[in-house]
Amino acid sequence: MLIRVAVPIPTLDLLTYLVSDSPAPVVGARVVVPVGTRPVTGIVVETDVELEAALERKDLKSVRQVLDAEPFVPQDVVALARWTAEYYAGGAGAAITAVLPPKARGTRADAHKTLRVVSITAAGLELVGAGPERPGLHGADSDVGRPFQGRLSAKQHSLLEMLAGCPAGIPAPQLAAQGMAADTIARLKKHGFVTVRLDRIDRDPFEATSLSLPPADAWRCLTAEQEEALSRLRALAESRTFRIALLHGVTGSGKTEIYLRLSAEQLAAGRRVLMLVPEIALTPAIATLFRQAFGDRVAIQHSGLSDGERHDQWQRIRRGAVAVVVGTRSAVFAPLDGIGLIVVDEEHDSSYKQEESPRYNGRDVAIIRAQHAGALVVLGSATPSMETYRNALAGRFERIVLPRRILDRPLAAVSVVDMREEYAVGGPDVVLSRPLVEAIGECLAKREQSLLLLNRRGFATSVFCRQCAATIDCPNCSVSLVVHGEGSARRAQCHYCNYSARVPTRCAVCAAPYLEQTGFGTERVEAEVRRLCPAARVARLDRDSVRRKGTLTSLLTRFRDGEIDVLVGTQMIAKGHDFPNVTLVGVISADVGLGVADFRASERTFQLLTQVAGRAGRGDLPGAAIVQTLYPDHYSVQLACRQDYPAFYERELQFRRAMRYPPLVALSNTVVRARTFAGAMDDAADIAQKLREGDVKREGLTVLGPAPPPINRLRGEYRAQLLVKGTNRRRMREALLTAVRSRPEVARRTTVDVDPLSVL
Ligand code: ADP
Ligand code: ZN
């Protein structure tokens, strides 16, 4: 029989193999297959495959080994991976990589087994006496009752004493942490003083990621609005068919509470729940709430966990030991069975899009998963994506609105500071405007907290020469380097390829010693706050500051506990968080996103401003937000200040309609990479030509380009871009794949992004 196998090698599509033994493997089982000369573990995706005419049976290789009698990856997840591979034109290899737990990628049959931790118990060792009077083991050989020649070392003595107090044994890592060397243990084992036992211990990521939250007032009363929303969602869930609901609730309207209740009802009915959040930064808070409600039936899945932790959680889910999975986009592929509800919180968030192959959007895969499972999917947001809102208005999604905050708390009062005026007064180096500095001061005086948002990391965003105007650019990418740190710790870094260098003192072009830093990022904001408010306790939360494991949780906990007055950060602080004592939010520059050459720039800016303003005044204290901008009249800024989502939607839709952009058409972004710019453009022109030769008119396709994208050189390669728009996504994808595959050598250097979130 022939089977098709997906191997976790992103560049490969489905492979066909011969199986001779019976019974044949089932879909979802792992098989070891030869890829070239190498054995690779893959997942069976299709059985009983018909031999294609073009394939000679003798060319086919055989499966070397079948590792599972039962599906290792559940069959519905295999189907989801196939859908993902096809819809996103990404290939089966990339899709199956997204689905597998990290350690299942090896070729050993037991590679997926849970790590075993050694624990040690004293064997047959009777210690004489107890308590402080205990004579210890000095000269205690006879007490042990074993023929033992020689003396025990001090280390060995103390190990035996420790073990005497722990009849269940002590895990090896704990002993190691106390300075017990492995060979101390091994020697005692050899003489029969201790036994070593292997235990299955799931590494529990909650220990490292749970937040200390104030105890939930268990099942407090829902407001009438929450109650109404919940009962509508309940009715949809109870229909036990595939349904999509948009829960459109302003920031602080109590959406989380609704997710919890709805989940509880699903669990009570014996169904399982998948809870997706956009950012790793948000998982601790949500996971803690779910854990408080559902105990250890909750698992978490996100890329911030170690391979081991992720693997253990995957196995727990696969064993059926878990009823709720909380996680980021990759959790949409969790091996969870019997799903009744999928929640996609902050569904508009761009973190749901994976920016490498497979370039899927977790929200859209979630919808397909719910469809396959006949489940309810709830998309929650205060600022729904244009796509989702359009679907809701068209009646394809049920729309449930929470128009007000809990307990009628007012939304933050938002005011705009025109930075042109600040520059006129304070010069071009102003980072914090006068109104913002004043507001931070008032906040400090009242012992309340502030959040300052700037969606740009680093200290200075570029370095330029005052004599010849040259900038310091990345040698691999067409972007300027960002300065991190101050003084002697200064480094210039590329945010795209991680190239890093010392900041030179002289211009590389004209050798003049007049290099100047311009632009600023979060590090500079942090430094400015320290300078202007020396009494404030300031911290920074961005990708750089939370690189070390555990930092994120500890920062968030310290902020929640009031040990930090001012938290500066990137969009990581903008979303979802619920800090009741935050009364001021400052947006250092609303313009970061607006200056980007991307058709979603306005939408992103509106979302970010609305979300970040939504972090203020969530507790009993009213909040305020101050937005600094050079474009105070831009509709994104204006409408975000008024928190008027419907008006923004209408305004933005006009723009998308005029420009023929999503959600009015389907869009794909094809990027060809090459060693030279001309090469990239030529190859892209070739693909464009092939597309245009096809029946473009009938397919309703528009082909734009080739053109250099805003970043035309990345990681040492030049890039050329083709945007294809169509009214039928499937036809668009097929036409594109046909054109790309007609040039196999080019295809290897080409990526197709279907429904791109960004076209940079
Ligand atoms: P959202 O996710 O819609 O932005 P949250 O779910 O975080 O809002 O809720 C905002 C705040 O209101 C939280 O502090 C939450 O604990 C609180 N809250 C939610 N529901 C209620 C309720 N029924 N009564 C009192 N407080 C509530
Ligand atoms: Zn670079």
Side-chain angles (χ1 to χ4, degrees), residues 220-223 226 250-257 406-407 409 578 618:
R220 64 187 149 203
C221 290
L222 290 186
T223 63
Q226 282 173 314
V250 298
T251 54
S253 56
K255 296 188 285 295
T256 315
E257 197 75 27
I406 283 296
L407 309 174
R409 282 172 192 149
D578 189 34
R618 295 172 71 87

Side-chain angles (χ1 to χ4, degrees), residues 177-178 291 578 703 723 757:
Q178 303 214 7
R291 261 240 161 154
D578 189 34
V703 182
L723 295 178
L757 276 198

Side-chain angles (χ1 to χ4, degrees), residues 473-481 493-500 713-716:
D473 296 333
C474 176
N476 312 316
C477 312
S478 57
V479 297
S480 60
L481 295 179
Q493 260 178 36
C494 174
H495 282 185
Y496 290 87
C497 72
N498 284 333
Y499 171 86
S500 161
R713 195 158 170 261
L714 198 61
R715 297 180 198 95

Side-chain angles (χ1 to χ4, degrees), residues 110-127:
D110 64 346
H112 68 288
K113 292 229 174 79
T114 303
L115 170 95
R116 280 156 189 261
V117 173
V118 188
S119 84
I120 299 156
T121 20
L125 180 70
E126 293 290 326
L127 292 177

